[in-house]
């Protein structure tokens, strides 16, 4: 399949630079697959479509404020983006470094009164393993919570010191993010629209929420880079699913299974493809699943998602969900996106949402 099928024109002014004033004030484009029609609503209307008998699966990974600024011994600036721990003691991390050419293996950078960092290794993905020596914090994660800046996607413009930094720390995080799951380098953005009020409304109507954690990596922003979809190397992400969430996924009572975001879909579909039983404790694995049309879904009946970048693997996933039996979802998704652009929907991480039923 030609990867150019997943390209479309996204005007720059449609890329949301800030979230809606209130989380649930974002718009909601509702897609009815069986009737092949769409509606234009707001996210606060979500309880009109979901409720009794629905099981909602959400990614409760927390985004670490992972951008750290420091200085090189020469006095030049250094920027370190924390990706994932590289040691059990929390003092070594795989990172991205800028400027990489001036921070080779064996070099160092520091922030007076807080830490010194030493570059130990560089891998084939241009990631650097860095060892930290901390002055006052018990872990690098604790250091980042105090000093770090949120790792917003590159299409959201921010200055090094921006008046919106504190707001980003709240809004580029779901309300149900778990402090014990500070494992995400990017937010599971479909969940950003939820408020305590909407969660309470849905639960009062008989819906249940089930948590899982996918360690969202920077690979989620990697575009399609091959002419054929089948040749693209999908990014890999660790996920964990508790015993109770596994049980909900295997419930055959007819409850509709609703995934909040593509990260939840990746976790659910990878788990069900790999395991035929409930695993005691947590099921932990690495998702390397690439979902593109046509694709039968094992555990997803409805999907809440944002509007995605051109040439992205997430467009492949959503297209497949629109038509699991064929490839018509590709053109349909582009038609939906064209109407959304015309109606001035806001796209990407801080943008509006879709509900696909």
């Amino acid at each position: 399949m030609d990867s150019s099928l997943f390209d479309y024109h996204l005007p720059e002014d449609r890329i949301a630079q800030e979230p809606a004033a209130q989380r649930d004030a974002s718009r909601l484009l509702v897609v009815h697959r069986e009737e092949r029609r769409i509606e234009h609503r707001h996210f606060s209307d979500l309880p009109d479509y979901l409720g009794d008998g629905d099981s909602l699966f959400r990614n409760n990974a927390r985004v670490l404020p992972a951008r750290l600024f420091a200085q090189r011994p020469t006095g030049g600036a250094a920027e370190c983006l924390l990706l994932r721990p590289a040691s059990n003691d929390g003092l070594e991390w795989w990172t991205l470094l800028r400027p990489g050419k001036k921070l080779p293996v064996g070099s160092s950078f520091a922030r007076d009164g807080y830490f010194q960092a030493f570059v130990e290794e560089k891998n084939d993905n241009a990631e650097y393993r860095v060892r930290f020596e901390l002055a006052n914090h018990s872990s690098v994660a604790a250091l980042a919570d105090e000093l770090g800046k949120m790792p917003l996607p590159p299409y959201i413009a921010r200055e090094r010191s921006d008046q919106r930094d504190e707001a980003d720390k709240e809004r580029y995080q779901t309300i149900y993010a778990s402090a014990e799951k500070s494992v995400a380098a990017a937010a599971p953005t479909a969940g950003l629209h939820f408020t305590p009020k909407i969660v309470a409304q849905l639960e009062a109507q008989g819906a249940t929420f089930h948590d899982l954690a996918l360690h969202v990596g920077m690979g989620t922003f990697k575009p399609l880079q091959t002419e054929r979809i089948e040749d693209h190397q999908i990014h890999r992400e660790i996920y964990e699913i508790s015993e109770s969430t596994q049980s909900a996924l295997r419930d055959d009572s007819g409850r509709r299974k609703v995934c909040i975001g593509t990260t939840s879909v990746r976790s659910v579909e990878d788990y069900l493809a790999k395991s035929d039983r409930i695993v005691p404790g947590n099921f932990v694995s690495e998702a390397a699943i690439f979902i593109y049309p046509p694709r039968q879904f094992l555990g997803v009946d409805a999907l809440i998602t944002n509007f995605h970048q051109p040439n992205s693997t997430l467009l492949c996933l959503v297209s497949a969900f629109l038509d699991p039996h064929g490839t018509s979802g590709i053109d349909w998704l582009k038609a939906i996106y064209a109407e959304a652009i015309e109606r001035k929907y806001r796209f990407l991480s801080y943008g509006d949402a879709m509900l696909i039923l």
Side-chain angles (χ1 to χ4, degrees):
M1 183 182 296
D2 194 327
S3 61
S4 66
L5 293 170
F6 297 92
D7 192 15
Y8 73 94
H9 175 62
L10 176 59
E12 190 172 343
D13 63 357
R14 297 271 57 83
I15 300 174
Q17 294 299 308
E18 298 178 9
Q22 304 294 326
R23 288 179 183 268
D24 61 359
S26 54
R27 297 168 73 183
L28 181 68
L29 191 155
V30 183
V31 180
H32 299 267
R33 290 183 294 174
E34 290 293 324
E35 303 165 37
R36 207 172 176 85
R37 67 181 178 90
I38 63 175
E39 296 180 81
H40 301 284
R41 304 289 296 271
H42 286 85
F43 201 84
S44 56
D45 300 321
L46 186 68
D48 291 347
Y49 299 94
L50 303 178
D52 188 27
D54 290 333
S55 295
L56 281 74
F57 298 89
R58 62 190 184 185
N59 184 2
N60 69 347
R62 176 177 177 269
V63 183
L64 192 67
R67 290 182 66 193
L68 296 173
F69 298 99
Q71 290 78 40
R72 305 193 307 276
T74 60
E79 180 179 340
C80 173
L81 177 62
L82 303 171
L83 297 178
R84 59 191 181 279
S87 65
N88 293 330
D89 62 7
L91 297 178
E92 289 191 7
W93 282 69
W94 285 104
T95 71
L96 297 178
L97 297 179
R98 295 171 61 184
K101 290 184 179 180
K102 295 185 177 181
L103 289 167
V105 174
S107 64
S108 66
F109 54 95
R111 185 153 170 178
D112 287 346
Y114 290 97
F115 70 86
Q116 278 192 302
F118 304 89
V119 183
E120 303 283 331
E121 180 185 352
K122 180 181 179 181
N123 67 19
D124 293 338
N125 296 319
E127 298 171 345
Y128 296 82
R129 182 169 58 84
V130 172
R131 176 172 55 85
F132 289 83
E133 292 182 358
L134 306 177
N136 301 303
H137 295 85
S138 59
S139 68
V140 175
L143 171 78
D145 275 329
E146 179 179 346
L147 294 183
K149 184 180 174 80
M150 289 301 260
L152 298 180
Y155 47 72
I156 297 179
R158 292 289 187 271
E159 300 296 331
R160 173 168 172 170
S161 180
D162 197 290
Q163 63 181 3
R164 295 165 288 187
D165 284 350
E166 286 306 310
D168 287 331
K169 281 192 174 183
E170 177 194 357
R171 295 300 302 274
Y172 194 64
Q173 196 83 269
T174 65
I175 62 166
Y176 46 80
S178 170
E180 298 177 354
K181 305 293 183 183
S182 297
V183 294
T189 55
L192 298 180
H193 310 281
F194 280 83
T195 63
K197 180 180 177 181
I198 286 182
V199 171
Q201 280 184 273
L202 290 170
E203 289 179 331
Q205 292 175 194
T208 56
F209 285 85
H210 307 275
D211 292 335
L212 51 84
L214 180 129
H215 302 207
V216 189
M218 298 303 292
T220 191
F221 301 114
K222 183 179 179 181
L224 296 167
Q225 296 178 316
T226 58
E227 291 185 4
R228 295 175 67 250
I229 288 293
E230 296 84 353
D231 295 333
H232 179 76
Q233 294 297 308
I234 193 70
H235 56 287
R236 307 173 75 91
E237 295 166 313
I238 295 170
Y239 66 92
E240 46 194 300
I241 303 180
S242 68
E243 192 171 340
S244 61
T245 297
Q246 293 178 60
S247 179
L249 283 170
R250 297 192 178 282
D251 178 10
D252 59 2
S253 66
R255 292 179 68 90
R256 183 168 53 174
K257 296 176 175 63
V258 183
C259 272
I260 301 173
T262 55
T263 63
S264 296
V265 174
R266 276 172 58 80
S267 303
V268 167
E269 292 297 303
D270 194 80
Y271 161 71
L272 292 174
K274 288 177 177 175
S275 177
D276 60 0
R277 61 181 60 85
I278 296 171
V279 176
N282 279 352
F283 180 91
V284 180
S285 188
E286 189 175 55
I289 188 170
F290 186 11
I291 297 175
Y292 56 86
R295 173 81 184 206
Q296 294 293 318
F297 288 77
L298 302 175
V300 188
D301 301 313
L303 170 63
I304 300 169
T305 188
N306 278 20
F307 294 88
H308 302 294
Q309 288 179 282
N311 294 307
S312 68
T313 59
L314 304 182
L315 283 184
C316 299
L317 186 155
V318 178
S319 297
F321 193 71
L322 283 173
D323 176 15
H325 306 292
T327 58
S328 70
I330 301 171
D331 287 338
W332 190 19
L333 182 63
K334 287 195 282 192
I336 291 170
Y337 273 33
E339 181 166 341
I341 290 170
E342 183 179 355
R343 288 177 173 262
K344 300 189 183 306
Y345 275 74
R346 303 165 75 250
F347 276 57
L348 309 187
S349 295
Y350 267 160
D352 296 315
M354 292 176 64
L355 169 64
I356 305 176
L357 300 169

